[in-house]
Amino acid sequence: MKLSIIIPAYNCEPTITELLNRVNKVSIKGLKKEVIVIDDGSGDKTYSILKKRHDILLFQHKNNLGKGSAVRTGLENSTGNIIYLQDADLEYDPSEIPLLVNPIVEKKAEAVFSSRRLNKDNMYSSKLYKWGGAFVDGLISFILRANITDASSGSKAFTRNVYNKIKPLTSRGFDIEAELTAKMIRNGIKPLEVSISYYPRTHKQGKNIRWYHAFFILRSLMKYSFTQKRDA
């Protein structure tokens, strides 16, 4: 079996080398590994750093198309039986990848989401992001009628079969998380949530998401929550 680790990267010059070094240390018994990095039109030296790596599959968007577009590029070029989405900014520690992947390997779940909220020791960059994120996640759970504490979390794992059920994906930005969640739920796939560590960054440190992205996320949620599920 193979694990595809998909990493969308945008202006991650300060973190990308450390991130990939940590990803390389991840080993899960019985799984081969491919690491797919998508440079989403970075304006710093991210792509120059990535070009020198021989341990990744590298794709580049000439212009910044958004996180969702980068994730879609990675998914379309992945070959693994299990797919893992990893942000490039080190807010999520790659050493915890097995926490999400092992339940799939052990056939306890088809999809596993990380949850920052299940770990009460986690801190947030501001109260706005903490309570704003909780509000958005609460709406997601209410609309989907699913008890999901952290649908907007940036690390998720799921099987190739799950991906085949929910594709094609169309989101271009941060709303990709809402699309993934809504389509899984509408196809009868209930993600397992596991507690993870979270190391938030501020905007000065390069955090890309802004408060107004919540409106795009909710718009995407409404769009994909009421679409018909794909035929089996």
Side-chain angles (χ1 to χ4, degrees), residues 36-53:
I36 301 172
V37 185
I38 307 89
D39 178 76
D40 189 34
S42 295
D44 61 4
K45 296 180 180 179
T46 298
Y47 185 66
S48 297
I49 294 171
L50 292 171
K51 283 196 302 182
K52 298 176 183 178
R53 309 269 320 197

Side-chain angles (χ1 to χ4, degrees), residues 78-94:
S78 66
T79 61
N81 310 91
I82 300 174
I83 297 164
Y84 184 87
L85 306 182
Q86 169 74 51
D87 284 353
D89 56 9
L90 287 177
E91 287 194 328
Y92 304 89
D93 188 348

Side-chain angles (χ1 to χ4, degrees), residues 115-120 124 129-130 133-134 137 149-150 152:
S115 175
R116 297 162 289 184
R117 306 189 193 288
L118 289 178
N119 186 341
K120 303 304 181 183
Y124 295 82
Y129 278 102
K130 179 179 180 178
D137 286 322
T149 65
D150 198 1
S152 54

Side-chain angles (χ1 to χ4, degrees), residues 169-181:
L169 301 171
T170 61
S171 296
R172 293 172 59 91
F174 291 104
D175 51 332
I176 187 67
E177 313 294 357
E179 182 179 2
L180 286 166
T181 304

Side-chain angles (χ1 to χ4, degrees), residues 1-4 31 80-84 101 104-105 158-159:
M1 294 181 67
K2 182 189 290 185
L3 170 65
S4 296
L31 288 183
N81 310 91
I82 300 174
I83 297 164
Y84 184 87
V101 174
I104 297 177
V105 174
F158 45 91
T159 65

